Amino acid sequence: MAAIFQGVGAAPALSSLPSNSFDSKNILFSPRRSFSVRKAPSFVVVRSDGTMNLDLNPKGRRAQQFIANAVATKEDSSAASSSSKPGHELLLFEALREGLEEEMERDPRVCVMGEDVGHYGGSYKVTKGLATKFGDLRVLDTPIAENSFTGMGIGAAMTGLRPVVEGMNMGFLLLAFNQISNNCGMLHYTSGGQFTIPIVIRGPGGVGRQLGAEHSQRLESYFQSVPGIQMVACSTPYNAKGLMKAALRSENPVILFEHVLLYNLKERIPDEDYICNLEEAEMVRPGEHVTILTYSRMRYHVMQAAKTLVNKGYDPEVIDIRSLKPFDLYTIGNSVKKTHRVLIVEECMRTGGIGASLTAAITENFHDYLDAPIICLSSQDVPTPYAGRLEEWTVVQPAQIVTAVEQLCQ
């Protein structure tokens, strides 16, 4: 009964989408692997509470609306009310840095290694300032040799340290696949429990802004079949920090996926210490008619589509699964039992992707509760094109999500 339908509706050109739709070209840092001096650019700050600020100069900002939490019955909160809330505002990459810095202060065993993570601060500035604070031995710059420094990190974890290995781009970690699959995930088992591997492997991935096929990889589908590894994907500053801290405290190897287009997402997070459960999904929007399961950047495409769906009379329930391995089948199952319809939206590749595994898990555990076949919207099974318009057409767009929900609810 659980069949996957490929591409419901043709992907529309972005010009046909609403003017406030998510423009991936506006929120990207430079992907260069170099030490070139950069000028202070203008950049877009996207807030999780629904506003988008374009920084043209340090004195003035022009706010535009960005639909992130699409609830038709509520108005977006103003900047004034947001500033009065407790906590502090951080961009997503700053939240990752804060979580890492707090754990390095709390536990002297935590260390960082990777290309340009030291005084350069990392390719996306997640480790900026940490080398000055903690020294070059705890924030270690490595050569461009992913297989070597990933293996070094695994060995460090075996001896009792808690290393964070940064891949400058997730696609580069394919060079370390042997270390991750044959050692990182298996040594605890093959040693008869004599070793634990408390390592965090993290870095940017996903389809960015014309980065080309090799730099637009979605490696979650590659690593999901490796036994012994946990995988999580952050999507907001709040869960980015909470997942980072939880991963560093875990005794298991954890791969933390970050999306290149979400680093400038801004949100107010608590001042007090907190962590997020590594095996728990997040209920983004409660609903009654259909369960939409998504993660990472697609969370925002789904919430844009939810705005349209609510106006059309549909009540979608949106869940950010966050834990890519293992799945939170408790949260997912309760939603399926309530709505009886499932739509999966992912940026991962269609064949052998997270959506395919999720479809199999739902079919196996909740088949009797389904009133319609599962629909899975995924990226096209092609290398990501460099041309901007073609790149956009390979990724699921909000209009496709609306069409799929309408088909499910017929």
Side-chain angles (χ1 to χ4, degrees):
M1 180 178 183
I4 307 178
F5 288 86
Q6 184 168 5
V8 180
L14 288 194
S15 60
S16 65
L17 295 178
S19 60
N20 58 0
S21 62
F22 184 84
D23 186 356
S24 62
K25 297 180 181 179
N26 287 335
I27 49 173
L28 181 68
F29 287 90
S30 170
R32 299 177 186 271
R33 301 181 69 179
S34 69
F35 290 88
S36 59
V37 178
R38 303 177 188 176
K39 297 179 182 179
S42 62
F43 63 94
V44 172
V45 175
V46 182
R47 297 175 182 268
S48 290
D49 63 0
T51 59
M52 179 173 66
N53 293 338
L54 176 60
D55 287 333
L56 300 174
N57 56 64
K59 295 182 180 179
R61 290 182 175 179
R62 182 180 177 184
Q64 299 177 356
Q65 286 300 308
F66 167 71
I67 304 172
N69 297 309
V71 181
T73 58
K74 296 182 180 179
E75 297 182 356
D76 293 332
S77 58
S78 65
S81 62
S82 176
S83 62
S84 65
K85 295 178 181 178
H88 56 289
E89 282 192 337
L90 289 178
L91 302 175
L92 190 143
F93 79 91
E94 294 172 329
L96 288 166
R97 181 200 303 152
E98 185 172 272
L100 178 56
E101 183 176 2
E102 288 177 4
E103 291 304 299
M104 293 184 75
E105 292 174 340
R106 188 186 69 87
D107 189 343
R109 297 173 297 171
V110 177
C111 56
V112 184
M113 58 187 69
E115 299 152 0
D116 296 347
V117 299
H119 295 280
Y120 184 68
S123 57
Y124 292 88
K125 302 306 177 186
V126 173
T127 58
K128 183 180 180 180
L130 298 185
T132 302
K133 183 172 183 178
F134 297 103
D136 293 340
L137 288 179
R138 290 189 70 188
V139 186
L140 181 64
D141 274 324
T142 67
I144 302 176
E146 285 79 5
N147 190 60
S148 299
F149 68 72
T150 302
M152 181 170 65
I154 295 169
M158 293 173 66
T159 64
L161 297 180
R162 292 182 172 271
V164 177
V165 172
E166 175 181 310
M168 186 177 286
N169 182 282
M170 276 294 181
F172 304 154
L173 289 179
L174 287 175
L175 298 168
F177 192 82
N178 173 64
Q179 292 288 358
I180 296 172
S181 60
N182 284 331
N183 293 326
C184 185
M186 297 186 184
L187 276 171
H188 177 66
Y189 299 90
T190 57
S191 69
Q194 296 181 71
F195 296 108
T196 56
I197 317 295
I199 187 173
V200 177
I201 299 173
R202 54 154 296 270
V207 178
R209 179 195 173 200
Q210 294 182 265
L211 300 182
E214 294 181 1
H215 291 67
S216 302
Q217 299 273 27
R218 279 83 20 124
L219 294 190
E220 52 266 38
S221 61
Y222 288 67
F223 294 121
Q224 67 171 327
S225 61
V226 178
I229 290 178
Q230 285 187 271
M231 300 195 307
V232 291
C234 60
S235 55
T236 68
Y238 178 85
N239 65 40
K241 179 181 177 180
L243 291 172
M244 171 70 85
K245 292 172 72 70
L248 283 166
R249 298 182 189 185
S250 174
E251 295 299 322
N252 299 313
V254 178
I255 300 179
L256 173 59
F257 290 96
E258 305 155 14
H259 200 287
V260 292
L261 296 184
L262 297 184
Y263 279 126
N264 272 348
L265 194 70
K266 178 173 278 192
E267 184 180 29
R268 185 170 295 276
I269 67 175
D271 292 326
E272 60 271 13
D273 186 47
Y274 71 92
I275 62 172
C276 294
N277 193 321
L278 292 175
E279 300 179 8
E280 189 175 278
E282 176 187 350
M283 179 65 69
V284 181
R285 184 191 189 281
E288 298 290 338
H289 294 162
V290 59
T291 297
I292 305 180
L293 305 174
T294 188
Y295 65 94
S296 190
R297 175 196 175 194
M298 286 296 108
R299 167 175 174 156
Y300 298 97
H301 281 213
V302 168
M303 294 309 291
Q304 283 180 274
K307 174 76 171 181
T308 302
L309 289 168
V310 169
N311 291 335
K312 288 188 173 187
Y314 296 100
D315 187 18
E317 179 153 290
V318 180
I319 296 176
D320 184 343
I321 62 173
R322 281 197 320 205
S323 176
L324 307 184
K325 184 181 179 182
F327 296 132
D328 179 7
L329 292 180
Y330 177 81
T331 300
I332 293 170
N334 284 339
S335 180
V336 173
K337 292 175 183 178
K338 177 174 63 173
T339 67
H340 308 292
R341 293 173 176 82
V342 177
L343 171 64
I344 301 169
V345 182
E346 62 174 348
E347 195 181 273
C348 195
M349 310 308 293
R350 180 171 186 77
T351 302
I354 297 297
S357 296
L358 193 53
T359 299
I362 294 171
T363 302
E364 183 177 327
N365 291 278
F366 310 109
H367 177 270
D368 290 344
Y369 295 96
L370 293 172
D371 288 344
I374 298 171
I375 293 181
C376 182
L377 299 179
S378 311
S379 292
Q380 300 297 313
D381 276 335
V382 296
T384 303
Y386 174 77
R389 181 56 60 88
L390 293 177
E391 178 185 72
E392 291 159 358
W393 275 63
T394 64
V395 179
V396 179
Q397 299 296 331
Q400 289 176 276
I401 301 170
V402 173
T403 302
V405 170
E406 290 175 334
Q407 177 180 330
L408 270 172
C409 295
Q410 283 179 353

